[in-house]
């Protein structure tokens, strides 16, 4: 029996049609499972984490900060920064050396 966006099934019917019931729940339906006419469980879609939106940082910081960040990312590295990046200023254990 189906009521709106909820399917009602018995335990044995749910067991026999498990894959179908999971598919329905994935599409947003709820499944009410009953035994001897008494509801015993409700299968509902799991909460999904919110999708990441591109440009979130842009809405969190001001235009000046965003411009400074862009400039810093695009700026060439100094010789000292380049040497550190290449590991020239650390030994094999990552310990800083002069």
């Amino acid at each position: 029996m189906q009521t709106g966006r909820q399917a009602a099934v018995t335990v044995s019917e749910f067991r026999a049609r498990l894959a179908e019931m999971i598919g329905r729940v994935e599409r947003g339906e709820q499944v009410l499972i009953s035994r001897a006419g008494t509801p015993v469980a409700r299968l509902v879609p799991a909460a999904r984490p919110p999708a990441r939106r591109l440009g979130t940082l842009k809405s969190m910081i001001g235009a000046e900060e965003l411009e400074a960040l862009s400039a810093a990312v695009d700026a060439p590295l100094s010789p000292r920064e380049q040497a550190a990046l290449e590991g020239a200023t650390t030994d094999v254990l990552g310990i800083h050396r002069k």
Side-chain angles (χ1 to χ4, degrees):
M1 175 174 119
Q2 173 137 0
T3 58
R5 292 189 45 106
Q6 176 173 296
V9 297
T10 64
V11 171
S12 59
E13 185 180 6
F14 177 77
R15 192 177 311 136
R17 298 172 43 201
L18 178 61
E20 176 192 341
M21 296 293 117
I22 297 295
R24 291 172 86 161
V25 171
E26 286 176 328
R27 291 188 296 278
E29 279 188 55
Q30 295 184 12
V31 176
L32 180 64
I33 305 165
S34 61
R35 182 187 319 246
T38 303
V40 294
R42 182 183 317 271
L43 190 61
V44 298
R48 294 187 177 169
R52 288 182 56 185
R53 292 187 348 234
L54 295 177
T56 300
L57 181 61
K58 190 175 184 178
S59 67
M60 294 171 62
I61 64 174
E64 289 178 20
E65 291 88 356
L66 184 60
E67 188 174 320
L69 180 60
S70 285
V73 168
D74 293 337
L77 297 174
S78 71
R80 182 175 179 206
E81 292 168 327
Q82 185 69 38
L85 182 65
E86 293 171 351
T89 60
T90 59
D91 63 16
V92 294
L93 298 175
I95 298 172
H96 180 72
R97 63 179 180 189
K98 293 183 180 187

